[in-house]
Amino acid sequence: MGIVVSCFAKVGGTGISSVLFHTARAAYRTGTLDAVVCYGNRQSEIPADKIRPIRFQPARIASFLKARYYYTLKRMALDRRAAAYIRRNGCEIFHGWTTECLRSLEEAKRIGAKTIVERPAPHPATAWRLLSEEYERWGVPLLRDDGSRWLKRIDWAHRDVVIAPMEFSLADLVVVQSDFGVQSFIEQGF
């Protein structure tokens, strides 16, 4: 048992895929990487047997939904797969990304693993406050979910405002990208 990393990206590439690659590669180089649960592989440095790509994506049957719902369903599917992997194989450390790892964190905590959540933005309360201020400043309405109660639970904003703080509370460590991000968590009492 070692480190399990889970992320809504492919290993290798640009943006979050690059961050995922460097995170997984660091664990692999120290001999502690057990698995990467993700949506594909674009690199060759980390052996393919360490990558657990999600090939069948049940969320595709809901691809007619708006992106704010569809991508949340894909993130939730990733979380279910990572949690199942942890349940079957265990881990000592679980590293996931915010809004897509609640079940995985719960499973990792259940077996006594250390947990890390990556948050590439400020705390949700700070982010939404800033967004609201800017929308108001420019006279643009901030779009809110107008769907059914079921859709509201899978809306990206709901995941950010409700689920992300639950993930933070389960994390032993939250990784942020800037001093501003750190300050936003401190201001929220984290």
Side-chain angles (χ1 to χ4, degrees), residues 3-4 23 92-99 101 105 108-109 113-120 164-177 181-182 185 190:
I3 298 174
V4 173
T23 300
E92 293 173 32
I93 298 173
F94 170 72
H95 183 143
W97 267 255
T98 186
T99 73
C101 64
L105 288 164
K109 291 309 254 186
K114 295 294 183 188
T115 55
I116 302 168
V117 173
E118 186 108 8
R119 174 71 181 184
M166 293 168 65
E167 293 169 339
F168 304 148
S169 71
L170 290 169
D172 292 302
L173 176 69
V174 175
V175 177
V176 296
Q177 311 301 319
V182 170
F185 274 80
F190 189 83

PDB file of all heavy atoms in Angstrom, residues 3-4 23 92-99 101 105 108-109 113-120 164-177 181-182 185 190:
ATOM      1  N   ILE A   3       0.557   5.448  -2.039  1.00  0.00           N
ATOM      2  CA  ILE A   3      -0.227   6.649  -2.341  1.00  0.00           C
ATOM      3  C   ILE A   3      -1.179   6.375  -3.489  1.00  0.00           C
ATOM      4  O   ILE A   3      -0.782   5.831  -4.527  1.00  0.00           O
ATOM      5  CB  ILE A   3       0.714   7.812  -2.701  1.00  0.00           C
ATOM      6  CG1 ILE A   3       1.622   8.147  -1.518  1.00  0.00           C
ATOM      7  CG2 ILE A   3      -0.092   9.040  -3.136  1.00  0.00           C
ATOM      8  CD1 ILE A   3       2.687   9.184  -1.825  1.00  0.00           C
ATOM      9  N   VAL A   4      -2.425   6.767  -3.312  1.00  0.00           N
ATOM     10  CA  VAL A   4      -3.424   6.732  -4.373  1.00  0.00           C
ATOM     11  C   VAL A   4      -3.761   8.184  -4.703  1.00  0.00           C
ATOM     12  O   VAL A   4      -4.094   8.964  -3.818  1.00  0.00           O
ATOM     13  CB  VAL A   4      -4.700   5.969  -3.959  1.00  0.00           C
ATOM     14  CG1 VAL A   4      -5.781   6.100  -5.018  1.00  0.00           C
ATOM     15  CG2 VAL A   4      -4.375   4.499  -3.707  1.00  0.00           C
ATOM     16  N   THR A  23       2.518  15.426  -9.747  1.00  0.00           N
ATOM     17  CA  THR A  23       2.160  14.869  -8.436  1.00  0.00           C
ATOM     18  C   THR A  23       2.396  13.363  -8.426  1.00  0.00           C
ATOM     19  O   THR A  23       3.040  12.826  -7.516  1.00  0.00           O
ATOM     20  CB  THR A  23       0.677  15.177  -8.116  1.00  0.00           C
ATOM     21  OG1 THR A  23       0.484  16.585  -8.108  1.00  0.00           O
ATOM     22  CG2 THR A  23       0.258  14.585  -6.780  1.00  0.00           C
ATOM     23  N   GLU A  92      -2.059   4.245   2.043  1.00  0.00           N
ATOM     24  CA  GLU A  92      -1.557   4.944   3.217  1.00  0.00           C
ATOM     25  C   GLU A  92      -1.846   6.437   3.122  1.00  0.00           C
ATOM     26  O   GLU A  92      -2.048   7.100   4.130  1.00  0.00           O
ATOM     27  CB  GLU A  92      -0.052   4.713   3.354  1.00  0.00           C
ATOM     28  CG  GLU A  92       0.296   3.271   3.681  1.00  0.00           C
ATOM     29  CD  GLU A  92       1.782   3.018   3.650  1.00  0.00           C
ATOM     30  OE1 GLU A  92       2.559   3.930   3.980  1.00  0.00           O
ATOM     31  OE2 GLU A  92       2.170   1.898   3.287  1.00  0.00           O
ATOM     32  N   ILE A  93      -1.843   6.930   1.880  1.00  0.00           N
ATOM     33  CA  ILE A  93      -2.137   8.342   1.620  1.00  0.00           C
ATOM     34  C   ILE A  93      -3.070   8.416   0.419  1.00  0.00           C
ATOM     35  O   ILE A  93      -2.850   7.750  -0.592  1.00  0.00           O
ATOM     36  CB  ILE A  93      -0.854   9.146   1.319  1.00  0.00           C
ATOM     37  CG1 ILE A  93       0.093   9.120   2.523  1.00  0.00           C
ATOM     38  CG2 ILE A  93      -1.187  10.586   0.931  1.00  0.00           C
ATOM     39  CD1 ILE A  93       1.456   9.741   2.248  1.00  0.00           C
ATOM     40  N   PHE A  94      -4.097   9.239   0.542  1.00  0.00           N
ATOM     41  CA  PHE A  94      -4.972   9.521  -0.602  1.00  0.00           C
ATOM     42  C   PHE A  94      -4.851  11.000  -0.929  1.00  0.00           C
ATOM     43  O   PHE A  94      -4.926  11.853  -0.052  1.00  0.00           O
ATOM     44  CB  PHE A  94      -6.437   9.184  -0.298  1.00  0.00           C
ATOM     45  CG  PHE A  94      -7.353   9.690  -1.372  1.00  0.00           C
ATOM     46  CD1 PHE A  94      -7.386   9.084  -2.610  1.00  0.00           C
ATOM     47  CD2 PHE A  94      -8.140  10.814  -1.168  1.00  0.00           C
ATOM     48  CE1 PHE A  94      -8.188   9.579  -3.629  1.00  0.00           C
ATOM     49  CE2 PHE A  94      -8.946  11.316  -2.171  1.00  0.00           C
ATOM     50  CZ  PHE A  94      -8.970  10.700  -3.401  1.00  0.00           C
ATOM     51  N   HIS A  95      -4.673  11.304  -2.230  1.00  0.00           N
ATOM     52  CA  HIS A  95      -4.555  12.684  -2.706  1.00  0.00           C
ATOM     53  C   HIS A  95      -5.604  12.885  -3.801  1.00  0.00           C
ATOM     54  O   HIS A  95      -5.557  12.247  -4.843  1.00  0.00           O
ATOM     55  CB  HIS A  95      -3.154  12.904  -3.289  1.00  0.00           C
ATOM     56  CG  HIS A  95      -2.892  14.304  -3.738  1.00  0.00           C
ATOM     57  ND1 HIS A  95      -1.673  14.894  -3.573  1.00  0.00           N
ATOM     58  CD2 HIS A  95      -3.665  15.237  -4.334  1.00  0.00           C
ATOM     59  CE1 HIS A  95      -1.696  16.133  -4.060  1.00  0.00           C
ATOM     60  NE2 HIS A  95      -2.908  16.344  -4.532  1.00  0.00           N
ATOM     61  N   GLY A  96      -6.564  13.767  -3.528  1.00  0.00           N
ATOM     62  CA  GLY A  96      -7.613  14.052  -4.506  1.00  0.00           C
ATOM     63  C   GLY A  96      -7.768  15.539  -4.729  1.00  0.00           C
ATOM     64  O   GLY A  96      -7.162  16.355  -4.026  1.00  0.00           O
ATOM     65  N   TRP A  97      -8.565  15.902  -5.716  1.00  0.00           N
ATOM     66  CA  TRP A  97      -8.823  17.305  -6.040  1.00  0.00           C
ATOM     67  C   TRP A  97     -10.213  17.682  -5.555  1.00  0.00           C
ATOM     68  O   TRP A  97     -11.133  16.880  -5.567  1.00  0.00           O
ATOM     69  CB  TRP A  97      -8.692  17.529  -7.547  1.00  0.00           C
ATOM     70  CG  TRP A  97      -7.323  17.961  -7.957  1.00  0.00           C
ATOM     71  CD1 TRP A  97      -6.946  19.212  -8.320  1.00  0.00           C
ATOM     72  CD2 TRP A  97      -6.136  17.160  -8.053  1.00  0.00           C
ATOM     73  NE1 TRP A  97      -5.603  19.241  -8.630  1.00  0.00           N
ATOM     74  CE2 TRP A  97      -5.078  17.992  -8.476  1.00  0.00           C
ATOM     75  CE3 TRP A  97      -5.850  15.823  -7.814  1.00  0.00           C
ATOM     76  CZ2 TRP A  97      -3.777  17.538  -8.672  1.00  0.00           C
ATOM     77  CZ3 TRP A  97      -4.558  15.363  -8.001  1.00  0.00           C
ATOM     78  CH2 TRP A  97      -3.550  16.222  -8.424  1.00  0.00           C
ATOM     79  N   THR A  98     -10.345  18.934  -5.181  1.00  0.00           N
ATOM     80  CA  THR A  98     -11.571  19.439  -4.590  1.00  0.00           C
ATOM     81  C   THR A  98     -12.781  19.267  -5.518  1.00  0.00           C
ATOM     82  O   THR A  98     -12.651  19.343  -6.725  1.00  0.00           O
ATOM     83  CB  THR A  98     -11.391  20.923  -4.186  1.00  0.00           C
ATOM     84  OG1 THR A  98     -12.544  21.358  -3.495  1.00  0.00           O
ATOM     85  CG2 THR A  98     -11.166  21.804  -5.373  1.00  0.00           C
ATOM     86  N   THR A  99     -13.905  19.031  -4.938  1.00  0.00           N
ATOM     87  CA  THR A  99     -15.230  18.782  -5.519  1.00  0.00           C
ATOM     88  C   THR A  99     -15.336  17.441  -6.227  1.00  0.00           C
ATOM     89  O   THR A  99     -16.357  17.153  -6.832  1.00  0.00           O
ATOM     90  CB  THR A  99     -15.733  19.900  -6.482  1.00  0.00           C
ATOM     91  OG1 THR A  99     -15.022  19.840  -7.710  1.00  0.00           O
ATOM     92  CG2 THR A  99     -15.665  21.273  -5.850  1.00  0.00           C
ATOM     93  N   CYS A 101     -13.793  14.331  -4.622  1.00  0.00           N
ATOM     94  CA  CYS A 101     -13.161  13.266  -3.830  1.00  0.00           C
ATOM     95  C   CYS A 101     -13.830  12.988  -2.486  1.00  0.00           C
ATOM     96  O   CYS A 101     -13.216  12.357  -1.620  1.00  0.00           O
ATOM     97  CB  CYS A 101     -11.679  13.573  -3.639  1.00  0.00           C
ATOM     98  SG  CYS A 101     -11.322  15.073  -2.695  1.00  0.00           S
ATOM     99  N   LEU A 105     -12.297  10.341   0.151  1.00  0.00           N
ATOM    100  CA  LEU A 105     -11.787  10.805   1.447  1.00  0.00           C
ATOM    101  C   LEU A 105     -12.419  10.020   2.591  1.00  0.00           C
ATOM    102  O   LEU A 105     -11.727   9.609   3.531  1.00  0.00           O
ATOM    103  CB  LEU A 105     -12.067  12.295   1.629  1.00  0.00           C
ATOM    104  CG  LEU A 105     -11.235  13.243   0.783  1.00  0.00           C
ATOM    105  CD1 LEU A 105     -11.868  14.628   0.764  1.00  0.00           C
ATOM    106  CD2 LEU A 105      -9.804  13.315   1.298  1.00  0.00           C
ATOM    107  N   ALA A 108     -10.858   6.596   2.617  1.00  0.00           N
ATOM    108  CA  ALA A 108      -9.471   6.664   3.095  1.00  0.00           C
ATOM    109  C   ALA A 108      -9.434   6.890   4.604  1.00  0.00           C
ATOM    110  O   ALA A 108      -8.634   6.259   5.311  1.00  0.00           O
ATOM    111  CB  ALA A 108      -8.724   7.773   2.363  1.00  0.00           C
ATOM    112  N   LYS A 109     -10.277   7.778   5.108  1.00  0.00           N
ATOM    113  CA  LYS A 109     -10.318   8.026   6.549  1.00  0.00           C
ATOM    114  C   LYS A 109     -10.780   6.770   7.300  1.00  0.00           C
ATOM    115  O   LYS A 109     -10.288   6.473   8.383  1.00  0.00           O
ATOM    116  CB  LYS A 109     -11.246   9.198   6.874  1.00  0.00           C
ATOM    117  CG  LYS A 109     -10.736  10.547   6.420  1.00  0.00           C
ATOM    118  CD  LYS A 109      -9.341  10.816   6.878  1.00  0.00           C
ATOM    119  CE  LYS A 109      -9.256  11.800   7.983  1.00  0.00           C
ATOM    120  NZ  LYS A 109      -7.860  12.146   8.321  1.00  0.00           N
ATOM    121  N   ALA A 113      -6.040   6.144   6.538  1.00  0.00           N
ATOM    122  CA  ALA A 113      -5.052   6.764   5.651  1.00  0.00           C
ATOM    123  C   ALA A 113      -4.993   8.266   5.886  1.00  0.00           C
ATOM    124  O   ALA A 113      -5.958   8.884   6.344  1.00  0.00           O
ATOM    125  CB  ALA A 113      -5.410   6.490   4.191  1.00  0.00           C
ATOM    126  N   LYS A 114      -3.869   8.865   5.571  1.00  0.00           N
ATOM    127  CA  LYS A 114      -3.729  10.318   5.558  1.00  0.00           C
ATOM    128  C   LYS A 114      -4.362  10.834   4.269  1.00  0.00           C
ATOM    129  O   LYS A 114      -4.336  10.157   3.245  1.00  0.00           O
ATOM    130  CB  LYS A 114      -2.261  10.743   5.622  1.00  0.00           C
ATOM    131  CG  LYS A 114      -1.582  10.359   6.906  1.00  0.00           C
ATOM    132  CD  LYS A 114      -2.180  11.099   8.071  1.00  0.00           C
ATOM    133  CE  LYS A 114      -1.455  10.778   9.360  1.00  0.00           C
ATOM    134  NZ  LYS A 114      -2.119  11.334  10.513  1.00  0.00           N
ATOM    135  N   THR A 115      -4.906  12.050   4.322  1.00  0.00           N
ATOM    136  CA  THR A 115      -5.626  12.572   3.164  1.00  0.00           C
ATOM    137  C   THR A 115      -5.168  13.971   2.794  1.00  0.00           C
ATOM    138  O   THR A 115      -4.892  14.802   3.660  1.00  0.00           O
ATOM    139  CB  THR A 115      -7.147  12.586   3.445  1.00  0.00           C
ATOM    140  OG1 THR A 115      -7.380  13.328   4.646  1.00  0.00           O
ATOM    141  CG2 THR A 115      -7.709  11.180   3.593  1.00  0.00           C
ATOM    142  N   ILE A 116      -5.103  14.199   1.488  1.00  0.00           N
ATOM    143  CA  ILE A 116      -4.698  15.485   0.932  1.00  0.00           C
ATOM    144  C   ILE A 116      -5.740  15.904  -0.092  1.00  0.00           C
ATOM    145  O   ILE A 116      -6.147  15.104  -0.938  1.00  0.00           O
ATOM    146  CB  ILE A 116      -3.326  15.381   0.230  1.00  0.00           C
ATOM    147  CG1 ILE A 116      -2.258  14.893   1.209  1.00  0.00           C
ATOM    148  CG2 ILE A 116      -2.936  16.709  -0.409  1.00  0.00           C
ATOM    149  CD1 ILE A 116      -0.955  14.489   0.546  1.00  0.00           C
ATOM    150  N   VAL A 117      -6.165  17.165  -0.028  1.00  0.00           N
ATOM    151  CA  VAL A 117      -7.073  17.721  -1.027  1.00  0.00           C
ATOM    152  C   VAL A 117      -6.359  18.880  -1.706  1.00  0.00           C
ATOM    153  O   VAL A 117      -5.826  19.768  -1.038  1.00  0.00           O
ATOM    154  CB  VAL A 117      -8.406  18.201  -0.402  1.00  0.00           C
ATOM    155  CG1 VAL A 117      -9.262  18.935  -1.430  1.00  0.00           C
ATOM    156  CG2 VAL A 117      -9.168  17.030   0.167  1.00  0.00           C
ATOM    157  N   GLU A 118      -6.372  18.861  -3.011  1.00  0.00           N
ATOM    158  CA  GLU A 118      -5.773  19.933  -3.810  1.00  0.00           C
ATOM    159  C   GLU A 118      -6.885  20.921  -4.172  1.00  0.00           C
ATOM    160  O   GLU A 118      -7.914  20.529  -4.714  1.00  0.00           O
ATOM    161  CB  GLU A 118      -5.164  19.329  -5.078  1.00  0.00           C
ATOM    162  CG  GLU A 118      -4.401  20.289  -5.906  1.00  0.00           C
ATOM    163  CD  GLU A 118      -2.894  20.066  -5.847  1.00  0.00           C
ATOM    164  OE1 GLU A 118      -2.429  19.070  -5.277  1.00  0.00           O
ATOM    165  OE2 GLU A 118      -2.200  20.926  -6.400  1.00  0.00           O
ATOM    166  N   ARG A 119      -6.661  22.182  -3.865  1.00  0.00           N
ATOM    167  CA  ARG A 119      -7.638  23.247  -4.162  1.00  0.00           C
ATOM    168  C   ARG A 119      -6.923  24.333  -4.964  1.00  0.00           C
ATOM    169  O   ARG A 119      -6.235  25.176  -4.405  1.00  0.00           O
ATOM    170  CB  ARG A 119      -8.200  23.834  -2.859  1.00  0.00           C
ATOM    171  CG  ARG A 119      -9.103  25.043  -3.027  1.00  0.00           C
ATOM    172  CD  ARG A 119     -10.425  24.703  -3.625  1.00  0.00           C
ATOM    173  NE  ARG A 119     -11.247  25.916  -3.791  1.00  0.00           N
ATOM    174  CZ  ARG A 119     -12.474  25.906  -4.214  1.00  0.00           C
ATOM    175  NH1 ARG A 119     -13.067  24.768  -4.512  1.00  0.00           N
ATOM    176  NH2 ARG A 119     -13.137  27.020  -4.365  1.00  0.00           N
ATOM    177  N   PRO A 120      -7.085  24.345  -6.289  1.00  0.00           N
ATOM    178  CA  PRO A 120      -6.363  25.330  -7.109  1.00  0.00           C
ATOM    179  C   PRO A 120      -7.029  26.705  -7.151  1.00  0.00           C
ATOM    180  O   PRO A 120      -6.851  27.449  -8.112  1.00  0.00           O
ATOM    181  CB  PRO A 120      -6.347  24.674  -8.485  1.00  0.00           C
ATOM    182  CG  PRO A 120      -7.572  23.840  -8.509  1.00  0.00           C
ATOM    183  CD  PRO A 120      -7.796  23.376  -7.090  1.00  0.00           C
ATOM    184  N   ALA A 164     -17.198  20.877  -1.266  1.00  0.00           N
ATOM    185  CA  ALA A 164     -15.776  21.193  -1.045  1.00  0.00           C
ATOM    186  C   ALA A 164     -15.456  21.418   0.435  1.00  0.00           C
ATOM    187  O   ALA A 164     -14.483  20.839   0.935  1.00  0.00           O
ATOM    188  CB  ALA A 164     -15.345  22.383  -1.902  1.00  0.00           C
ATOM    189  N   PRO A 165     -16.246  22.215   1.172  1.00  0.00           N
ATOM    190  CA  PRO A 165     -15.932  22.365   2.604  1.00  0.00           C
ATOM    191  C   PRO A 165     -16.006  21.047   3.386  1.00  0.00           C
ATOM    192  O   PRO A 165     -15.250  20.851   4.339  1.00  0.00           O
ATOM    193  CB  PRO A 165     -16.981  23.363   3.098  1.00  0.00           C
ATOM    194  CG  PRO A 165     -17.306  24.170   1.887  1.00  0.00           C
ATOM    195  CD  PRO A 165     -17.269  23.170   0.754  1.00  0.00           C
ATOM    196  N   MET A 166     -16.885  20.151   2.964  1.00  0.00           N
ATOM    197  CA  MET A 166     -16.936  18.831   3.608  1.00  0.00           C
ATOM    198  C   MET A 166     -15.633  18.072   3.337  1.00  0.00           C
ATOM    199  O   MET A 166     -15.104  17.397   4.228  1.00  0.00           O
ATOM    200  CB  MET A 166     -18.146  18.041   3.091  1.00  0.00           C
ATOM    201  CG  MET A 166     -19.470  18.636   3.520  1.00  0.00           C
ATOM    202  SD  MET A 166     -20.896  17.928   2.642  1.00  0.00           S
ATOM    203  CE  MET A 166     -20.870  16.249   3.203  1.00  0.00           C
ATOM    204  N   GLU A 167     -15.121  18.193   2.121  1.00  0.00           N
ATOM    205  CA  GLU A 167     -13.848  17.555   1.782  1.00  0.00           C
ATOM    206  C   GLU A 167     -12.711  18.150   2.617  1.00  0.00           C
ATOM    207  O   GLU A 167     -11.874  17.418   3.139  1.00  0.00           O
ATOM    208  CB  GLU A 167     -13.550  17.722   0.286  1.00  0.00           C
ATOM    209  CG  GLU A 167     -14.505  16.959  -0.605  1.00  0.00           C
ATOM    210  CD  GLU A 167     -14.379  17.327  -2.063  1.00  0.00           C
ATOM    211  OE1 GLU A 167     -13.855  18.418  -2.382  1.00  0.00           O
ATOM    212  OE2 GLU A 167     -14.807  16.514  -2.904  1.00  0.00           O
ATOM    213  N   PHE A 168     -12.711  19.475   2.738  1.00  0.00           N
ATOM    214  CA  PHE A 168     -11.656  20.126   3.528  1.00  0.00           C
ATOM    215  C   PHE A 168     -11.663  19.615   4.968  1.00  0.00           C
ATOM    216  O   PHE A 168     -10.611  19.434   5.570  1.00  0.00           O
ATOM    217  CB  PHE A 168     -11.808  21.652   3.524  1.00  0.00           C
ATOM    218  CG  PHE A 168     -11.840  22.273   2.159  1.00  0.00           C
ATOM    219  CD1 PHE A 168     -12.588  23.420   1.940  1.00  0.00           C
ATOM    220  CD2 PHE A 168     -11.145  21.739   1.092  1.00  0.00           C
ATOM    221  CE1 PHE A 168     -12.630  24.017   0.694  1.00  0.00           C
ATOM    222  CE2 PHE A 168     -11.185  22.322  -0.170  1.00  0.00           C
ATOM    223  CZ  PHE A 168     -11.927  23.465  -0.367  1.00  0.00           C
ATOM    224  N   SER A 169     -12.859  19.405   5.519  1.00  0.00           N
ATOM    225  CA  SER A 169     -12.948  18.953   6.906  1.00  0.00           C
ATOM    226  C   SER A 169     -12.397  17.536   7.078  1.00  0.00           C
ATOM    227  O   SER A 169     -11.979  17.165   8.170  1.00  0.00           O
ATOM    228  CB  SER A 169     -14.384  19.040   7.416  1.00  0.00           C
ATOM    229  OG  SER A 169     -15.195  18.058   6.799  1.00  0.00           O
ATOM    230  N   LEU A 170     -12.387  16.746   6.011  1.00  0.00           N
ATOM    231  CA  LEU A 170     -11.849  15.385   6.072  1.00  0.00           C
ATOM    232  C   LEU A 170     -10.356  15.333   5.761  1.00  0.00           C
ATOM    233  O   LEU A 170      -9.706  14.320   6.002  1.00  0.00           O
ATOM    234  CB  LEU A 170     -12.598  14.483   5.084  1.00  0.00           C
ATOM    235  CG  LEU A 170     -14.044  14.164   5.438  1.00  0.00           C
ATOM    236  CD1 LEU A 170     -14.747  13.490   4.265  1.00  0.00           C
ATOM    237  CD2 LEU A 170     -14.099  13.289   6.673  1.00  0.00           C
ATOM    238  N   ALA A 171      -9.822  16.403   5.216  1.00  0.00           N
ATOM    239  CA  ALA A 171      -8.426  16.410   4.771  1.00  0.00           C
ATOM    240  C   ALA A 171      -7.464  16.644   5.934  1.00  0.00           C
ATOM    241  O   ALA A 171      -7.714  17.469   6.802  1.00  0.00           O
ATOM    242  CB  ALA A 171      -8.230  17.483   3.715  1.00  0.00           C
ATOM    243  N   ASP A 172      -6.365  15.928   5.889  1.00  0.00           N
ATOM    244  CA  ASP A 172      -5.275  16.206   6.815  1.00  0.00           C
ATOM    245  C   ASP A 172      -4.471  17.401   6.321  1.00  0.00           C
ATOM    246  O   ASP A 172      -3.846  18.094   7.110  1.00  0.00           O
ATOM    247  CB  ASP A 172      -4.353  14.987   6.941  1.00  0.00           C
ATOM    248  CG  ASP A 172      -5.053  13.827   7.630  1.00  0.00           C
ATOM    249  OD1 ASP A 172      -5.507  14.020   8.772  1.00  0.00           O
ATOM    250  OD2 ASP A 172      -5.158  12.751   7.019  1.00  0.00           O
ATOM    251  N   LEU A 173      -4.503  17.630   5.012  1.00  0.00           N
ATOM    252  CA  LEU A 173      -3.777  18.730   4.396  1.00  0.00           C
ATOM    253  C   LEU A 173      -4.550  19.215   3.175  1.00  0.00           C
ATOM    254  O   LEU A 173      -5.035  18.403   2.387  1.00  0.00           O
ATOM    255  CB  LEU A 173      -2.378  18.259   3.951  1.00  0.00           C
ATOM    256  CG  LEU A 173      -1.503  19.252   3.208  1.00  0.00           C
ATOM    257  CD1 LEU A 173      -1.055  20.379   4.134  1.00  0.00           C
ATOM    258  CD2 LEU A 173      -0.300  18.539   2.616  1.00  0.00           C
ATOM    259  N   VAL A 174      -4.691  20.534   3.044  1.00  0.00           N
ATOM    260  CA  VAL A 174      -5.264  21.131   1.844  1.00  0.00           C
ATOM    261  C   VAL A 174      -4.138  21.897   1.156  1.00  0.00           C
ATOM    262  O   VAL A 174      -3.493  22.748   1.773  1.00  0.00           O
ATOM    263  CB  VAL A 174      -6.447  22.079   2.155  1.00  0.00           C
ATOM    264  CG1 VAL A 174      -6.945  22.769   0.889  1.00  0.00           C
ATOM    265  CG2 VAL A 174      -7.585  21.301   2.812  1.00  0.00           C
ATOM    266  N   VAL A 175      -3.905  21.585  -0.103  1.00  0.00           N
ATOM    267  CA  VAL A 175      -2.854  22.242  -0.884  1.00  0.00           C
ATOM    268  C   VAL A 175      -3.504  23.339  -1.719  1.00  0.00           C
ATOM    269  O   VAL A 175      -4.447  23.071  -2.468  1.00  0.00           O
ATOM    270  CB  VAL A 175      -2.145  21.230  -1.823  1.00  0.00           C
ATOM    271  CG1 VAL A 175      -1.113  21.931  -2.692  1.00  0.00           C
ATOM    272  CG2 VAL A 175      -1.512  20.123  -1.017  1.00  0.00           C
ATOM    273  N   VAL A 176      -3.016  24.569  -1.564  1.00  0.00           N
ATOM    274  CA  VAL A 176      -3.498  25.697  -2.361  1.00  0.00           C
ATOM    275  C   VAL A 176      -2.332  26.253  -3.170  1.00  0.00           C
ATOM    276  O   VAL A 176      -1.182  25.912  -2.928  1.00  0.00           O
ATOM    277  CB  VAL A 176      -4.158  26.800  -1.499  1.00  0.00           C
ATOM    278  CG1 VAL A 176      -5.407  26.274  -0.813  1.00  0.00           C
ATOM    279  CG2 VAL A 176      -3.184  27.336  -0.479  1.00  0.00           C
ATOM    280  N   GLN A 177      -2.632  27.086  -4.133  1.00  0.00           N
ATOM    281  CA  GLN A 177      -1.623  27.506  -5.109  1.00  0.00           C
ATOM    282  C   GLN A 177      -0.982  28.861  -4.837  1.00  0.00           C
ATOM    283  O   GLN A 177      -0.123  29.283  -5.597  1.00  0.00           O
ATOM    284  CB  GLN A 177      -2.249  27.524  -6.507  1.00  0.00           C
ATOM    285  CG  GLN A 177      -3.009  26.277  -6.870  1.00  0.00           C
ATOM    286  CD  GLN A 177      -2.175  25.022  -6.834  1.00  0.00           C
ATOM    287  OE1 GLN A 177      -1.034  25.036  -7.264  1.00  0.00           O
ATOM    288  NE2 GLN A 177      -2.719  23.950  -6.284  1.00  0.00           N
ATOM    289  N   GLY A 181      -4.619  32.193  -1.613  1.00  0.00           N
ATOM    290  CA  GLY A 181      -5.420  31.012  -1.300  1.00  0.00           C
ATOM    291  C   GLY A 181      -5.287  30.613   0.160  1.00  0.00           C
ATOM    292  O   GLY A 181      -6.274  30.311   0.826  1.00  0.00           O
ATOM    293  N   VAL A 182      -4.062  30.639   0.674  1.00  0.00           N
ATOM    294  CA  VAL A 182      -3.826  30.321   2.083  1.00  0.00           C
ATOM    295  C   VAL A 182      -4.604  31.287   2.974  1.00  0.00           C
ATOM    296  O   VAL A 182      -5.311  30.875   3.907  1.00  0.00           O
ATOM    297  CB  VAL A 182      -2.319  30.374   2.418  1.00  0.00           C
ATOM    298  CG1 VAL A 182      -2.103  30.293   3.925  1.00  0.00           C
ATOM    299  CG2 VAL A 182      -1.567  29.270   1.710  1.00  0.00           C
ATOM    300  N   PHE A 185      -8.334  30.625   3.268  1.00  0.00           N
ATOM    301  CA  PHE A 185      -8.676  29.530   4.172  1.00  0.00           C
ATOM    302  C   PHE A 185      -8.561  29.974   5.623  1.00  0.00           C
ATOM    303  O   PHE A 185      -9.411  29.633   6.452  1.00  0.00           O
ATOM    304  CB  PHE A 185      -7.787  28.309   3.902  1.00  0.00           C
ATOM    305  CG  PHE A 185      -8.332  27.430   2.817  1.00  0.00           C
ATOM    306  CD1 PHE A 185      -8.144  27.754   1.493  1.00  0.00           C
ATOM    307  CD2 PHE A 185      -9.051  26.294   3.129  1.00  0.00           C
ATOM    308  CE1 PHE A 185      -8.656  26.956   0.480  1.00  0.00           C
ATOM    309  CE2 PHE A 185      -9.567  25.484   2.127  1.00  0.00           C
ATOM    310  CZ  PHE A 185      -9.363  25.819   0.793  1.00  0.00           C
ATOM    311  N   PHE A 190     -10.072  27.967   8.758  1.00  0.00           N
ATOM    312  CA  PHE A 190      -9.455  26.669   8.475  1.00  0.00           C
ATOM    313  C   PHE A 190      -7.998  26.676   8.907  1.00  0.00           C
ATOM    314  O   PHE A 190      -7.264  27.588   8.565  1.00  0.00           O
ATOM    315  CB  PHE A 190      -9.559  26.355   6.972  1.00  0.00           C
ATOM    316  CG  PHE A 190      -9.162  24.966   6.609  1.00  0.00           C
ATOM    317  CD1 PHE A 190     -10.075  23.928   6.731  1.00  0.00           C
ATOM    318  CD2 PHE A 190      -7.888  24.703   6.163  1.00  0.00           C
ATOM    319  CE1 PHE A 190      -9.696  22.624   6.402  1.00  0.00           C
ATOM    320  CE2 PHE A 190      -7.510  23.397   5.833  1.00  0.00           C
ATOM    321  CZ  PHE A 190      -8.422  22.381   5.950  1.00  0.00           C
TER     322      PHE A 190
END
